[in-house]
Structure formats: C-alpha cells, structure tokens
C-alpha cells in the first residue's frame, strides 16, 4: 500500500502547540487533534528507543546492515531533528562514530 505524499507545510512547533491549546481550550476537536499530535511525537520517540536497542544487538552480533533498518534509522533521525528544531533545542553534536559505508557488491 503506497502512502499519499503530504504537501510541504510548516510544522506545528512546541510553543505554537501550547498557544493553540490555551487559545482553543474547551474545543474538543482541537484539543483532541493537539493530543493526537503530542501522542504521535511520543510514539516516535518510543519507537526510536526500541530501534536503538535492536540496532545495538544487531551490531554486536556483527550481522551487517539491513536496508530497512537504515531507512528506519534515517526516518527516526529526521523526526528527532525536526522535533528538536520545533522545541527550540540545539542540534545534537555530530556522531563521533559515523556508520561505516556498506561494502560494494562484487559480481
């Protein structure tokens, strides 16, 4: 199943979400939408923690690099950086141990 691509948009920042919460307090639909946004962000963080655990074990077992795991890592990293920017936090320091590139396949 292919997901429909969303149009580009300015994301709702943490401070903006708080303003909307106060401004529309009592509007059940807006409150529910803002809670859904907060819950989705918490879920992404939790998935990221589970992913880190799986990745550590995968690397300890020296099982190489899965394309799907790498794509998930990149998606989670993008969401983490986006959230930090929305929260007004400084970006994390560069990774001291960048991932090794996958070896070229030999035919």
């Amino acid at each position: 199943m292919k997901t429909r691509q969303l149009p580009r948009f300015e994301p709702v920042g943490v401070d903006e979400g708080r303003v909307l919460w106060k401004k529309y307090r009592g509007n059940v639909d807006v409150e529910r939408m803002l809670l859904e946004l907060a819950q989705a962000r918490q879920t992404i963080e939790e998935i990221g923690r589970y992913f880190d655990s799986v990745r550590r074990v995968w690397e300890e077992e020296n099982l190489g690099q899965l394309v799907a795991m790498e794509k998930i890592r990149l998606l989670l990293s993008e969401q983490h950086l986006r959230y930090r920017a929305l929260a007004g936090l400084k970006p994390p320091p560069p990774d001291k141990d960048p991932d090794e590139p996958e070896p070229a396949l030999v035919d």
Side-chain angles (χ1 to χ4, degrees), residues 10-46:
E10 187 66 31
V12 177
V14 174
D15 292 337
E16 183 182 7
R18 289 182 181 131
V19 167
L20 291 170
W21 181 262
K22 289 176 184 176
K23 182 177 180 178
Y24 294 100
R25 190 75 179 146
N27 182 321
V28 177
D29 293 330
V30 174
E31 286 181 0
R32 193 181 69 188
M33 181 187 62
L34 292 169
L35 289 170
E36 181 69 29
L37 178 62
Q39 190 272 337
R41 288 177 176 168
Q42 286 177 351
T43 300
I44 289 170
E45 285 182 40
E46 185 176 3

Side-chain angles (χ1 to χ4, degrees), residues 101-107:
E102 264 189 71
L105 297 175
V106 179
D107 291 326

Side-chain angles (χ1 to χ4, degrees), residues 3 11 13 17 24 26 37 53 58 63 67 70 72 81 87-88 92-93 105 107:
T3 315
Y24 294 100
L37 178 62
S53 295
W58 190 266
L63 297 173
V67 172
E70 182 62 12
I72 293 169
L81 290 172
L105 297 175
D107 291 326

